[in-house]
Amino acid sequence: MKQSFHSGYVSIIGRANVGKSTLLNTMLDEKVSIVTRKPQTTRHHCLGIHNLEHAQIVFIDTPGIQKTPRQAINQYMNRQAAFAMQDVDVLLFMVEALKWQEQDEHVLNLLQSSRSSAKFLVINKADKADKAGDKTKLLPFIESLQAKTSFDEIFPISAKNKQGIQALEQAIIKYLPANMPIYPEDVISDRNERFFAAEYLREKLMMRLSDELPYELTITIDDFKEKNDVYHIYACIWVEKASQKNIVIGKQGEILKKAGKDARLDMEKLFAKKVNLKTWVKIKKKWTDSEQALKLFGYDN
Ligand SMILES: Nc1nc2c(ncn2[C@@H]2O[C@H](COP(=O)(O)OP(=O)(O)OP(=O)(O)O)[C@@H](O)[C@H]2O)c(=O)[nH]1
Ligand SMILES: [Mg+2]
């Protein structure tokens, strides 16, 4: 008998920095969503489409949910996550092994009202619990979460070390309805190349910059064209203050040069094209708390 095809939507939800984007990239074996050590890396929801022989899993990566979003941008990020909690086939609630925080409790409360058909608890960074000799603490940790709410499935994983991924994937498929593929098989995301160009550059800058700067910086792609088989990309980096502009550029342009080079190499890998990346830094005062500026910069729903 021919095996039927299954497809559906799976959201990855949790507080910042638990490893949601890392899981998406590991599942797809492709860098669809940017990852840094810093919290609040992901700002927009982003689809990652995982094509298998008998199933298509459409993952939705989301920004880490914040309990008290202070600025307009944080409110936007929460809206992006809330949207992804409704009407999906499976909700993956991701937490970090042995690290339960107030923000996790908040996300769990939001989860209770979601209309999704299945809810999985995904305990990430299980490798860390191993290393610290904390193996015996993992089971009581899982039991304490089970006592809070009932989950359809529970998976300890390491998204970074690719542990427990297969089992999670198989379980997800079991919960997807029998359906045709939702997207064509050669599509891996709903986002276009401009989006990835901006995100890759933001990732490399976030990695090199500290303090408030990673959060007060955004990228727009002002021009993106192909000429002689080369992508010519013009990116503008927006910051809030003149002092930040100097830091982003760095001494003798070092920071911008290095971040730009790293971003370009990642873009070339994803696009399978040579890339010529040009960057500018501009100032837009208090853009993170201005609905109007956010819209202008593509934070628009
Ligand atoms: N040790 C360990 N680190 C991990 C694992 N998964 C992710 N990380 C690290 O955790 C950090 C945050 O990962 P992200 O994937 O950006 O986390 P996120 O939940 O998407 O974060 P936001 O987008 O800010 O909400 C990065 O430094 C990752 O390398 C894991 O399984 N083990
Ligand atoms: Mg993320």
Side-chain angles (χ1 to χ4, degrees):
M1 197 180 84
K2 197 172 174 289
Q3 199 177 331
S4 64
F5 199 90
H6 292 252
S7 68
Y9 289 91
V10 177
S11 280
I12 315 172
I13 300 286
R15 71 160 157 84
N17 216 34
V18 290
K20 300 178 295 297
S21 303
T22 306
L23 175 65
L24 178 73
N25 296 342
T26 296
M27 279 283 186
L28 267 69
D29 205 15
E30 191 84 63
K31 199 169 113 186
V32 173
S33 201
I34 63 168
V35 169
T36 78
R37 279 189 299 110
K38 299 185 172 81
Q40 294 165 38
T41 298
T42 305
R43 290 181 182 168
H44 310 271
H45 69 78
C46 170
L47 297 192
I49 301 150
H50 190 29
N51 290 300
L52 296 148
E53 202 184 340
H54 299 293
Q56 182 180 70
I57 312 174
V58 182
F59 286 103
I60 311 174
D61 185 22
T62 63
I65 295 175
Q66 299 159 55
K67 193 175 174 188
T68 43
R70 290 205 171 82
Q71 310 262 58
I73 187 172
N74 306 106
Q75 287 154 16
Y76 167 86
M77 285 158 68
N78 271 2
R79 284 201 300 276
Q80 292 277 297
F83 159 84
M85 262 202 254
Q86 302 306 322
D87 292 324
V88 292
D89 298 290
V90 182
L91 253 181
L92 304 183
F93 172 44
M94 185 179 272
V95 300
E96 194 174 328
L98 308 182
K99 239 188 181 178
W100 183 259
Q101 301 178 351
E102 204 188 334
Q103 301 274 357
D104 296 299
E105 192 80 43
H106 174 65
V107 182
L108 183 69
N109 289 336
L110 295 176
L111 212 76
Q112 318 277 21
S113 60
S114 162
R115 281 175 294 151
S116 293
S117 26
K119 293 186 180 97
F120 291 10
L121 173 64
V122 178
I123 301 162
N124 192 29
K125 309 197 188 181
D127 56 300
K128 271 188 164 176
D130 273 356
K131 261 188 217 147
D134 282 341
K135 247 186 175 145
T136 51
K137 293 185 193 157
L138 198 55
L139 197 60
F141 178 78
I142 294 173
E143 281 167 357
S144 70
L145 297 185
Q146 266 175 311
K148 287 179 191 289
T149 216
S150 65
F151 292 99
D152 296 285
E153 307 271 349
I154 298 178
F155 292 93
I157 64 159
S158 169
K160 197 172 173 180
N161 298 351
K162 304 189 189 340
Q163 283 160 0
I165 303 300
Q166 274 270 311
L168 174 59
E169 184 183 284
Q170 288 309 310
I172 289 172
I173 295 169
K174 270 200 251 157
Y175 284 82
L176 297 184
N179 237 340
M180 297 296 284
I182 302 166
Y183 289 89
E185 267 177 34
D186 55 347
V187 175
I188 62 157
S189 178
D190 61 331
R191 299 292 185 170
N192 59 21
E193 289 175 324
R194 275 177 178 252
F195 176 82
F196 289 115
E199 287 289 272
Y200 280 16
L201 181 59
R202 191 165 63 82
E203 179 190 71
K204 302 307 177 194
L205 286 165
M206 270 190 88
M207 284 171 166
R208 286 179 187 275
L209 299 166
S210 57
D211 300 330
E212 83 277 17
L213 237 170
Y215 308 104
E216 295 183 358
L217 168 158
T218 194
I219 316 281
T220 53
I221 301 297
D222 294 355
D223 201 13
F224 190 124
K225 55 178 170 251
E226 186 176 356
K227 204 173 160 197
N228 302 331
D229 219 25
V230 176
Y231 279 177
H232 298 268
I233 303 173
Y234 298 81
C236 184
I237 301 152
W238 295 91
V239 291
E240 295 205 324
K241 302 169 200 145
S243 58
Q244 294 175 330
K245 181 172 169 172
N246 296 334
I247 299 171
V248 169
I249 294 167
K251 270 195 197 115
Q252 284 153 358
E254 272 300 283
I255 293 197
L256 194 51
K257 216 183 288 167
K258 284 188 176 147
K261 184 184 170 201
D262 292 346
R264 177 176 60 77
L265 293 175
D266 273 11
M267 288 177 207
E268 288 184 341
K269 219 185 276 169
L270 184 73
F271 302 153
K273 287 269 182 211
K274 277 261 165 250
V275 169
N276 171 24
L277 176 67
K278 291 253 188 323
T279 52
W280 280 268
V281 188
K282 289 187 191 165
I283 299 160
K284 180 93 182 164
K285 282 193 185 130
K286 298 199 172 131
W287 71 266
T288 53
D289 207 22
S290 153
E291 294 287 352
Q292 207 185 358
L294 284 169
K295 279 206 178 75
L296 202 67
F297 292 157
Y299 298 75
D300 52 5
N301 50 44

